[in-house]
Amino acid sequence: LIRHESAFTDFRRGCQPVCGECDDCKIAKGLAAKQIMLPNSLVWEVWSFFEGALIDLIGILQLTDIVKSSNAKARWYFFDGKLRDKAALLKFWIDWIFSEHDDWKPLHRLTLEIPAHAHAYVSFAEGLEFQLEGIQREAIKWRGKLDDLKLYGRLNLDV
């Protein structure tokens, strides 16, 4: 995750290019591990396949701040630079989150926090039926400058 620039603000990213050994990278690694192991969160790995064999880890899907049967923050990180190719996968994931399973109650809503500079991500989220609900002004630091954070939500109308 510390190599995936869009996953981290300036406060959490390793050096550039990522060496993995300097103090900045060590801090970023620790924060990435902590992010994945948050209480009330779930993480899914996304792997590429070829002829039935796992090839490479290409992404991570994450729910954080899960409130049972109510809300969670959704995040996804893809490392192959092909976000548009993941639309069907993300629709399937959202449908799963909004459906009942053996040890899962459907959520009523999903929340996304998207940096204002991430125009492709905003467009992609809107294509997944997320709606803009508000803006946190100057909430994150990106490439040395303060940036707004757009808050998006999607309701599960079947709950």
Side-chain angles (χ1 to χ4, degrees), residues 1-158:
L1 280 177
I2 67 169
R3 284 179 166 68
H4 191 55
E5 184 179 33
S6 65
F8 296 95
T9 69
D10 287 352
F11 299 117
R12 297 186 288 176
R13 197 174 58 202
C15 68
Q16 297 299 314
V18 174
C19 73
E21 300 302 324
C22 70
D23 287 342
D24 287 341
C25 286
K26 288 177 183 176
I27 291 168
K29 283 181 185 179
L31 290 170
K34 186 184 275 186
Q35 177 73 22
I36 289 173
M37 297 184 299
L38 287 171
N40 299 321
S41 68
L42 293 170
V43 175
W44 291 261
E45 294 177 344
V46 180
W47 288 81
S48 62
F49 287 86
F50 182 72
E51 296 181 0
L54 291 174
I55 302 296
D56 199 12
L57 177 68
I58 59 168
I60 293 174
L61 309 176
Q62 183 179 29
L63 292 180
T64 64
D65 303 318
I66 300 169
V67 178
K68 188 176 180 179
S69 302
S70 180
N71 186 28
K73 290 181 183 174
R75 298 176 182 174
W76 51 80
Y77 310 106
F78 294 106
F79 314 126
D80 62 357
K82 299 177 182 175
L83 179 60
R84 292 274 173 221
D85 293 351
K86 310 305 184 291
L89 168 68
L90 289 170
K91 287 176 184 176
F92 177 84
W93 184 56
I94 292 167
D95 288 346
W96 187 94
I97 292 166
F98 283 169
S99 301
E100 186 162 351
H101 306 281
D102 289 339
D103 40 345
W104 178 261
K105 298 290 182 196
L107 294 180
H108 176 66
R109 64 170 283 124
L110 280 178
T111 301
L112 294 178
E113 296 175 338
I114 305 173
H117 67 269
H119 303 293
Y121 199 96
V122 165
S123 174
F124 190 75
E126 290 171 348
L128 293 172
E129 301 177 28
F130 284 88
Q131 296 179 352
L132 180 64
E133 296 180 335
I135 297 175
Q136 288 181 317
R137 296 178 51 220
E138 298 184 355
I140 61 169
K141 191 172 184 182
W142 181 256
R143 295 185 179 169
K145 296 179 182 177
L146 291 172
D147 196 8
D148 296 342
L149 195 61
K150 294 184 175 186
L151 306 176
Y152 278 80
R154 178 173 167 178
L155 299 178
N156 181 359
L157 301 176
D158 295 330

